[in-house]
Structures are given as structure tokens and as C-alpha cells.
């Protein structure tokens, strides 16, 4: 029997490509070219499955051009690049990579929080520019981290990891808001108290966003929400671009309506709203929250395992939908 044909849309660890090649007939992208959506659709025309990252959308147009497609394995926990409804209707299985990145991403969220509160990149730029000629008592004085109030919007696995770090490591008072409340056991473990969104905005000294992107969370933080935050607060986004209205945030940072922001994700990334590049009180990183070598390897292996389990055992390990039989 011939092997299923798989398209690997971006370059990935050679050892993962080698594993996939033992099970599938592969088309890969060793130059890591950024294919257009049309190019992606053309290459998927004769494929049974795909290994993707967030850089391509799997939407109606792509699905219509890929009549043999049965599964798309995303190397990411977030899958807002999938039109899940269209995939389900077309009988296409989607999978993601939960759990393997939780602690690494929570580490990064905390690092970004600390770098933002303590003005680390702003002060480094000052030093590198040769502007440090003397010490002064208020030089780059930032916000306190230990003992402050940590607000978390979106309390899934990564949010819980950040809560634990804050509560147990830094003695922070943790409050959170989520679609559904955690069990009392989990709340106790995370030392986190459930509050309404308005209270979260008003009370947090550091507000960390860790919720999935959807139409419902689009611009969940805009000018009105920022206006409810403390003028001394920081806002950290490690979730997805589009959850924050970047133009409203840039204006708020410019006017010091909040103290600072730390952003790993952007609306329309890799483009960054120019106003964000112009203000000093923001720490900017290029969507790297899960980027350690072991974690990225674990993510790639889980995406590969999903493809292998789907074709060889009939069910993937971490599905995101239950496709219709077509
Ligand atoms: C990264 O953003 C992911 O969703 O894994």
C-alpha cells in the first residue's frame, strides 16, 4: 500500500522530518519559504495530511483545493489559524500541541512580566546608547513584582502555571477571570481568587493575557478596558495578537495611562503596529514564548505523533475537533 502524502509547510527539526519520512511520503520546505495561501492550496491538492504552524490559515479556500486532505497537525497549542467549523464540515481532523509547552510558556510569561515591570529593555537601550554617565535615585524605577497583585485573564494550563509562579515564588496576590471558574482544588493550588473582568482590570498591578483568540476575544483589551486599569499597571500579552487593540495600547502607553506593556504577540504579526515601536515603555519579543529547544522539539514531535497515530491507529492524540464523516 502506498504511504499517505504529507505536506510539511515550514522547515522543522531534521530529526522530526526523518521520523515523518519513515511513515509518509513527504513534501517539505527546506528553504523555509513563506508560501502564499494560493501556493499552500496548490501544494495540498494531492496531499492526505499536513504539518503546519500558525503561519498559514486552513480555511474554506484551502479546503476546497485539497479534496484528499484528512488531517492538519498544527505545531502550536493555539489553532486560531484553523477554520474549525469548515474543517469539521469537510471531514478534516485538526490537532494541536497542548501540555508540552505549558511550563516553558509560563516561564516566558513571567520573564516578560518581570522585564516589563523592572524596565529591563528600556534601561539596556539607555546603557548601550552610552547615556549612562551617573547613577540617580529614581533611574528606571519600575513597579514592584513580589507581593503585588497579579491578574490573569484566561486561566487554562498556561494561566495556572503563571499563577503558581506568582503565588508560590513571588508571594503575589493572584486574581483571575475566565469563562469558567476553576475547581476549588485548583484555585487552592494556584492560590488564585476568581473575580469579574472589571475587578480584574481595576485591581491588577500586572495583568497577563493567556486566553485563546476567537471572535469573542477580539479586542478584549481596548481603550475602555485600559482606562479601567491602574495608571501604575503593566499589561502582558503572550496569548495572541488581536486580543489587544494595539493602536489603543500604543496611545495609552504614549500618554502613560498605564505604566508599561510586554508583548510577545501582535495584530497582523510579523508586522508590528508602528506606534508600539515608538514608545519606550514596552518590551517587545517576536512570538517566542514557547521557544526553548526541548519544548519546540516536543511540539514538533507531538504534531508528528498526531499524524502517525491518525493514519496508523485511526485516532490522533490531541484532536481539536470531531470531523463529520464525508
Ligand atoms: C504559540 O503561540 C502556540 O500557540 O503554541
Amino acid at each position: 500500500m502506498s504511504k499517505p502524502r504529507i505536506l510539511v509547510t515550514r522547515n522543522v527539526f531534521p530529526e522530526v522530518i526523518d521520523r515523518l519520512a519513515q511513515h509518509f511520503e513527504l513534501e517539505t520546505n527546506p528553504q523555509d519559504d513563506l508560501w502564499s495561501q494560493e501556493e499552500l492550496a496548490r501544494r495540498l491538492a494531492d496531499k492526505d495530511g499536513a504539518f503546519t504552524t500558525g503561519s498559514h490559515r486552513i480555511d474554506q479556500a484551502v479546503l476546497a483545493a485539497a479534496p484528499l486532505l484528512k488531517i492538519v497537525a498544527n505545531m502550536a497549542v493555539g489553532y486560531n489559524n484553523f477554520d474549525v467549523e469548515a474543517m469539521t464540515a469537510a471531514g478534516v481532523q485538526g490537532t494541536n500541541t497542548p501540555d508540552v509547552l505549558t511550563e516553558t510558556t509560563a516561564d516566558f510569561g513571567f520573564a516578560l512580566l518581570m522585564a516589563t515591570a523592572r524596565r529591563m529593555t528600556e534601561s539596556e537601550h539607555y546603557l548601550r546608547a552610552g547615556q549612562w554617565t551617573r547613577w540617580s535615585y529614581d533611574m528606571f524605577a519600575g513597579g514592584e513584582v513580589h507581593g503585588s497583585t497579579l491578574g490573569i485573564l484566561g486561566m487554562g494550563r498556561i494561566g495556572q502555571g503563571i499563577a503558581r509562579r506568582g503565588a508560590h515564588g513571588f508571594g503575589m496576590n493572584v486574581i483571575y477571570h475566565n469563562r469558567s471558574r476553576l475547581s476549588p482544588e485548583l484555585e487552592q493550588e494556584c492560590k488564585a481568587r476568581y473575580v469579574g473582568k472589571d475587578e480584574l482590570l481595576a485591581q491588577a498591578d500586572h495583568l497577563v493575557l493567556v486566553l485563546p483568540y476567537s471572535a469573542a476575544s477580539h479586542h478584549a483589551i481596548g481603550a475602555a478596558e485600559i482606562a479601567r486599569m491602574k495608571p501604575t499597571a503593566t499589561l502582558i500579552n503572550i496569548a495572541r495578537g488581536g486580543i489587544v487593540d494595539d493602536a489603543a495600547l500604543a496611545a495609552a502607553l504614549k500618554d502613560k495611562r498605564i505604566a508599561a506593556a510586554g508583548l510577545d504577540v501582535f495584530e497582523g504579526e510579523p508586522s508590528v503596529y508602528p506606534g508600539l515601536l515608538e514608545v519606550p515603555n514596552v518590551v517587545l519579543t517576536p512570538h517566542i514564548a514557547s521557544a526553548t529547544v526541548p519544548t519546540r522539539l516536543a511540539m514538533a514531535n507531538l504534531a508528528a505523533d498526531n499524524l502517525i497515530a491518525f493514519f496508523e491507529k485511526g485516532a490522533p492524540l490531541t484532536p481539536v475537533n470531531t470531523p463529520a464523516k464525508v
Side-chain angles (χ1 to χ4, degrees), residues 8 10-17 20 29 32 51 75 300:
V8 183
R10 298 290 308 275
N11 200 16
V12 75
F13 297 94
E15 56 265 54
V16 177
I17 297 284
L20 287 167
N29 181 2
D32 208 26
F51 180 117
M75 183 187 147

Side-chain angles (χ1 to χ4, degrees), residues 75-79 97 101 238-240 265 287 290 299:
M75 183 187 147
V77 66
Y79 50 92
T97 59
L101 48 59
I238 57 164
R240 277 290 181 273
V265 287
H287 202 146
S290 65
M299 291 165 69

Side-chain angles (χ1 to χ4, degrees), residues 2-322:
S2 63
K3 292 178 177 176
R5 292 184 194 187
I6 303 291
L7 179 68
V8 183
T9 60
R10 298 290 308 275
N11 200 16
V12 75
F13 297 94
E15 56 265 54
V16 177
I17 297 284
D18 289 349
R19 275 190 68 214
L20 287 167
Q22 288 167 23
H23 300 264
F24 306 116
E25 195 179 309
L26 295 186
E27 179 179 338
T28 60
N29 181 2
Q31 302 304 322
D32 208 26
D33 292 328
L34 281 179
W35 297 331
S36 66
Q37 286 290 119
E38 292 69 29
E39 177 81 15
L40 173 77
R42 195 181 62 67
R43 290 177 188 267
L44 279 175
D46 61 349
K47 300 299 184 301
D48 300 294
F51 180 117
T52 56
T53 67
S55 39
H56 285 108
R57 290 189 317 281
I58 304 298
D59 57 15
Q60 290 278 11
V62 166
L63 293 166
L68 305 179
L69 194 66
K70 296 164 195 68
I71 177 168
V72 182
N74 220 29
M75 183 187 147
V77 66
Y79 50 92
N80 54 303
N81 57 314
F82 286 178
D83 180 338
V84 174
E85 214 176 302
M87 288 169 67
T88 304
V92 174
Q93 178 72 66
T95 66
N96 67 341
T97 59
D99 300 322
V100 292
L101 48 59
T102 300
E103 298 302 326
T104 297
T105 304
D107 282 350
F108 188 87
F110 220 86
L112 193 52
L113 185 162
M114 295 195 73
T116 303
R118 300 302 307 272
R119 305 174 64 178
M120 291 180 79
T121 57
E122 191 186 350
S123 57
E124 184 179 351
H125 287 146
Y126 170 90
L127 181 153
R128 285 181 186 272
Q131 291 173 289
W132 186 28
T133 52
R134 59 185 183 158
W135 181 91
S136 67
Y137 78 98
D138 59 350
M139 195 166 75
F140 295 105
E144 208 69 90
V145 175
H146 75 273
S148 65
T149 296
L150 169 61
I152 301 177
L153 185 58
M155 197 60 157
R157 292 159 287 221
I158 298 169
Q160 292 165 35
I162 291 170
R164 285 192 193 94
R165 282 159 177 76
H168 299 288
F170 291 82
M172 294 170 94
N173 163 39
V174 181
I175 53 178
Y176 77 98
H177 183 72
N178 196 40
R179 270 176 312 185
S180 52
R181 204 172 154 168
L182 295 184
S183 67
E185 295 73 34
L186 268 179
E187 280 191 352
Q188 203 173 19
E189 198 184 310
C190 297
K191 292 195 182 173
R193 184 167 63 85
Y194 182 83
V195 295
K197 187 175 170 189
D198 281 348
E199 187 176 346
L200 185 85
L201 294 167
Q203 297 299 326
D205 292 311
H206 308 287
L207 177 61
V208 183
L209 309 179
V210 212
L211 66 169
Y213 179 78
S214 68
S217 64
H218 181 73
H219 288 187
I221 302 294
E225 288 74 20
I226 294 169
R228 293 199 183 96
M229 294 174 68
K230 296 179 184 179
T232 49
T234 65
L235 175 68
I236 311 299
N237 188 7
I238 57 164
R240 277 290 181 273
I243 292 174
V244 174
D245 176 345
D246 284 350
L249 176 61
L253 290 168
K254 188 164 179 226
D255 297 348
K256 305 256 173 54
R257 271 179 264 142
I258 59 171
L263 305 174
D264 187 48
V265 287
F266 304 88
E267 286 189 281
E269 63 184 54
S271 297
V272 175
Y273 181 76
L276 288 172
L277 300 171
E278 286 160 15
V279 287
N281 48 342
V282 59
V283 179
L284 305 167
T285 52
H287 202 146
I288 55 167
S290 65
T292 65
V293 173
T295 292
R296 285 281 164 88
L297 185 57
M299 291 165 69
N301 271 317
L302 179 51
D305 288 340
N306 271 314
L307 291 167
I308 295 165
F310 177 82
F311 284 107
E312 296 182 4
K313 301 210 171 77
L317 306 176
T318 50
V320 302
N321 64 341
T322 309

